[in-house]
Amino acid sequence: MRRSKCAGAQMSSVVAPAEEPNATCPRTVEVTLVKEQNGVQLTNATLAAPPQSPAEPPDRETWSKKIDFLLSVIGFAVDLANVWRFPYLCYKNGGGAFLVPYLLFMVIAGMPLFYMELALGQFNREGAAGVWKICPVLKGVGFTVILISLYVGFFYNVIIAWALHYFFSSFTMELPWTHCNNSWNSAACTEARSGRNASSSATPAAEYFERSVLHVHESRGIDDLGPPRWQLTACLLLVIVLLYFSLWKGVKTSGKVVWITATMPYVVLFALLLRGITLPGAIDGIRAYLSVDFRRLCEASVWIDAATQICFSLGVGFGVLIAFSSYNKFTNNCYRDAIITTSVNSLTSFSSGFVVFSFLGYMAQKHSVPIGDVAKDGPGLIFIIYPEALATLPLSSAWAVVFFIMLLTLGIDSAMGGMESVITGLIDEFQLLHRHRELFTLGIVLATFLLSLFCVTNGGIYVFTLLDHFAAGTSILFGVLIEAIGVAWFYGVRQFSEDIKQMTGRRPSLYWRVCWKFVSPCFLLFVVVVSIVTFRPPHYGDYVFPAWANALGWVIAASSMSMVPIYAAYKFCSLPGSLREKAAHAITPEKERELVDSGEVRQFTLRHWLMV
């Protein structure tokens, strides 16, 4: 009896596509339910649309291809510091032993923070400021990282301009930094490098950089800048033009540019490695690079260098990863992207050491000096030591052209990432700018160009050094610390993990949740404190900056960090209600506003703070 009764009430469904007035809109289907009972058919038609992600704007552009995103992230993270910073730190801090703290910090802090920023941007589909709808009171963190990225652009583009100047200068039969018989050389120039008179003499390559390119000898210090040098100004303008046309249409154009800028450095590094290992003394240089001295691990400075290198080499805290991932498809596997890109970054840093130290070993043997006399980091490595080594090779001009192409491509995609962080962060926050992206991008790059002119004057290297020292030092570490606390504690690791599950289908494992909740914030707090305790005033060679310049540097650093308390105070003052109601609305995600109105604030419960 039960079986026949059920059979008499069978239900079937017919699904037919509805009209699509706009192909770009989500598909809408008409669902018709046909129910037959006692020989009579009853119909019920409804319209249903597939669910969208809760935070996905319908008109948000996305990367044309997944590889565009990966190359953009890799291109940003792998920059000039991978060539001039990591190999020197490895050599200075015990060779292969340095890899122990470096890899440890990479696993417990670098990867989790990288993963966190990719997931944060992808789920919320907005830039560095807009994502803080998860905790409105901390929106100032977004403006902090945007301001830092803008500051970095003021001097980072100058490095690319230097590389462009060297690139054009390499198209000669004899490289201009080979001998001391040029108009810019001084009486102290000598082509023989010796440990005994190194302090009183200068190589042709060093004088070319400082006297021909920078003209630093024509300035007495930061209070005597002089006019911009027209050669560097022209190179800087060309860099700005390249950046504008790479960014003006958004990820649709920048995603194509990185196919060249992100891949070319690997081709050049491989070619330089093949050439470098064939040079006399190359094995000695590589042996010095990899020599293991585990006793150095007992020194705090080794661990401090590893911690700071992790923070800066991956590029977390600049808002770039958030901006790039915000253009991903909602269901993209950001976990896999984080593992791939952080691994590529570390392998690139380590591999570039073989290239660098093969040439440093060659230079040390050629001049019969210890490797320590030629090993250095910073711009001096890529604009003095390396050009000097290339000048001694057969087909030196060709090798110089190839090398500076690598520097240009390394710099351009990193500069593109910084600019995209600023542009995306602000146009997502202010819709008026979003409607005029091309004009706003033009305004940003022009402002960057005008302020960068201070760095291409006779005393521009002093401005460059000051910005490099203060613009993204303690301030960027502070920004990442507040960001980690905001996501893991105020928004909550549990809710953040549910967001990731909604995107990827899998909840992050306990390891990632513990790192986000405890390990990464403690790591960042340690690095921030160490950066303050071990602070040393900037200097360039023997030049010591005056007190007012150091004060200006701290004003620059504080101007970005102050965005956090300033915006928090503004938010509290602008919210209505009692102090408790203000706090509830300030720390509760915007999507949970209805729960706040009904008195259900999960941040006011002990369970929220204890959950992992």
Side-chain angles (χ1 to χ4, degrees):
M1 173 68 84
R2 183 178 300 172
R3 183 178 179 183
S4 62
K5 187 174 182 178
C6 292
Q10 289 179 344
M11 180 178 291
S12 62
S13 63
V14 179
V15 180
E19 294 183 4
E20 298 185 60
N22 189 346
T24 62
C25 295
R27 289 174 175 265
T28 302
V29 295
E30 181 178 0
V31 181
T32 305
L33 300 178
V34 182
K35 181 178 180 181
E36 183 175 343
Q37 185 174 4
N38 299 327
V40 180
Q41 289 187 345
L42 305 175
T43 63
N44 183 24
T46 60
L47 292 178
Q52 292 188 47
S53 63
E56 181 175 4
D59 58 345
R60 184 76 171 184
E61 64 176 327
T62 57
W63 298 96
S64 299
K65 297 179 181 178
K66 173 64 176 290
I67 191 64
D68 293 355
F69 165 71
L70 288 177
L71 288 177
S72 295
V73 174
I74 291 172
F76 166 72
V78 178
D79 67 349
L80 295 167
N82 291 74
V83 177
W84 80 32
R85 181 66 175 162
F86 178 85
Y88 176 77
L89 286 179
C90 195
Y91 163 75
K92 187 184 78 169
N93 292 304
F98 180 72
L99 297 178
V100 173
Y102 178 82
L103 293 177
L104 174 64
F105 290 145
M106 170 65 75
V107 171
I108 68 173
M111 284 183 172
L113 291 170
F114 200 95
Y115 182 16
M116 182 187 75
E117 287 206 350
L118 291 185
L120 187 64
Q122 183 172 309
F123 183 81
N124 293 284
R125 312 283 288 172
E126 292 196 52
V131 296
W132 286 102
K133 56 191 174 186
I134 66 172
C135 184
V137 74
L138 293 180
K139 195 175 206 175
V141 179
F143 294 113
T144 292
V145 299
I146 289 172
L147 200 54
I148 291 173
S149 292
L150 190 62
Y151 288 162
V152 170
F154 295 158
F155 69 89
Y156 195 85
N157 294 336
V158 176
I159 304 176
I160 309 174
W162 292 344
L164 194 60
H165 186 286
Y166 270 81
F167 172 74
F168 290 138
S169 300
S170 299
F171 288 94
T172 56
M173 295 299 296
E174 183 180 67
L175 294 174
W177 54 83
T178 305
H179 300 295
C180 290
N181 56 355
N182 303 286
S183 59
W184 58 80
N185 290 127
S186 69
C189 182
T190 176
E191 297 177 22
R193 182 188 289 268
S194 171
R196 289 174 298 179
N197 62 351
S199 60
S200 59
S201 63
T203 63
E207 289 211 339
Y208 179 78
F209 179 59
E210 295 191 341
R211 299 176 67 89
S212 178
V213 177
L214 302 181
H215 289 263
V216 69
H217 63 288
E218 298 181 25
S219 171
R220 296 187 302 273
I222 195 169
D223 52 355
D224 179 30
L225 296 181
R229 307 299 305 187
W230 73 265
Q231 299 94 332
L232 288 178
T233 301
C235 292
L236 181 62
L237 180 60
L238 184 55
V239 169
I240 293 298
V241 170
L242 289 173
L243 285 175
Y244 175 70
F245 285 106
S246 298
L247 295 169
W248 69 320
K249 292 294 185 182
V251 297
K252 298 298 183 183
T253 53
S254 63
K256 299 298 179 289
V257 174
V258 293
W259 280 79
I260 298 174
T261 58
T263 57
M264 180 65 73
Y266 291 96
V267 176
V268 176
L269 279 174
F270 183 69
L272 289 172
L273 177 62
L274 293 180
R275 184 67 184 96
I277 59 178
T278 63
L279 297 172
I283 301 302
D284 295 332
I286 293 174
R287 188 180 295 116
Y289 172 52
L290 296 179
S291 61
V292 178
D293 183 5
F294 285 109
R295 293 172 298 178
R296 298 296 306 278
L297 296 180
C298 298
E299 301 176 13
S301 61
V302 175
W303 295 82
I304 292 171
D305 282 346
T308 53
Q309 177 64 15
I310 286 295
C311 289
F312 293 117
S313 66
L314 292 179
V316 293
F318 288 92
V320 178
L321 303 179
I322 294 175
F324 280 163
S325 61
S326 71
Y327 296 110
N328 275 334
K329 295 180 180 178
F330 185 77
T331 56
N332 175 65
N333 190 340
C334 53
Y335 168 72
R336 181 178 57 196
D337 295 343
I339 299 299
I340 291 174
T341 48
T342 53
S343 300
V344 169
N345 179 276
S346 297
L347 288 173
T348 303
S349 296
F350 181 67
S351 302
S352 65
F354 291 92
V355 180
V356 171
F357 275 85
S358 63
F359 277 87
L360 292 181
Y362 163 67
M363 290 296 294
Q365 178 170 313
K366 181 177 178 63
H367 294 288
S368 301
V369 297
I371 290 181
D373 287 357
V374 294
K376 61 171 65 178
D377 66 340
L381 174 65
I382 59 175
F383 292 113
I384 297 177
I385 303 298
Y386 232 94
E388 182 180 352
L390 294 174
T392 65
L393 301 178
L395 301 176
S396 58
S397 295
W399 282 112
V401 168
V402 170
F403 175 72
F404 289 111
I405 286 177
M406 180 190 73
L407 296 188
L408 287 170
T409 52
L410 280 173
I412 283 290
D413 47 15
S414 295
M416 285 168 51
M419 288 293 167
E420 188 62 57
S421 170
V422 176
I423 295 167
T424 298
L426 293 178
I427 66 174
D428 284 346
E429 189 65 19
F430 306 102
Q431 289 302 309
L432 177 63
L433 301 178
H434 194 283
R435 292 191 293 270
H436 303 283
R437 179 188 169 104
E438 292 88 350
L439 287 176
F440 178 63
T441 302
L442 179 62
I444 289 292
V445 297
L446 284 179
T448 302
F449 168 74
L450 293 175
L451 289 170
S452 297
L453 289 177
F454 288 102
C455 295
V456 296
T457 57
N458 294 335
I461 189 63
Y462 303 118
V463 180
F464 174 92
T465 303
L466 193 72
L467 288 172
D468 184 34
H469 200 80
F470 286 102
T474 302
S475 55
I476 193 71
L477 299 174
F478 169 80
V480 184
L481 173 61
I482 302 301
E483 179 183 294
I485 293 173
V487 173
W489 289 88
F490 285 89
Y491 186 56
V493 165
R494 184 180 184 183
Q495 183 59 53
F496 187 55
S497 299
E498 290 300 322
D499 295 346
I500 295 176
K501 182 181 179 181
Q502 188 175 344
M503 293 187 294
T504 65
R506 295 185 61 183
R507 196 165 183 259
S509 66
L510 180 63
Y511 169 78
W512 297 104
R513 302 200 303 272
V514 169
C515 285
W516 288 328
K517 186 86 171 184
F518 303 108
V519 180
S520 295
C522 291
F523 167 82
L524 289 166
L525 180 61
F526 163 75
V527 178
V528 169
V529 172
V530 165
S531 69
I532 296 174
V533 172
T534 61
F535 172 79
R536 297 291 182 272
H539 65 89
Y540 181 76
D542 297 330
Y543 178 77
V544 178
F545 284 78
W548 69 265
N550 285 305
L552 177 62
W554 278 114
V555 168
I556 293 172
S559 66
S560 57
M561 293 187 287
S562 65
M563 292 294 104
V564 176
I566 289 175
Y567 189 87
Y570 158 76
K571 193 66 180 178
F572 265 98
C573 293
S574 61
L575 288 171
S578 64
L579 183 61
R580 187 181 187 278
E581 291 171 336
K582 287 176 179 285
H585 283 89
I587 63 176
T588 302
E590 291 180 0
K591 64 182 179 181
E592 299 178 18
R593 209 44 77 74
E594 294 181 356
L595 296 177
V596 176
D597 295 336
S598 62
E600 301 178 23
V601 184
R602 58 183 173 87
Q603 285 84 354
F604 285 174
T605 62
L606 183 62
R607 185 171 181 268
H608 166 80
W609 300 97
L610 296 180
M611 287 295 295
V612 177

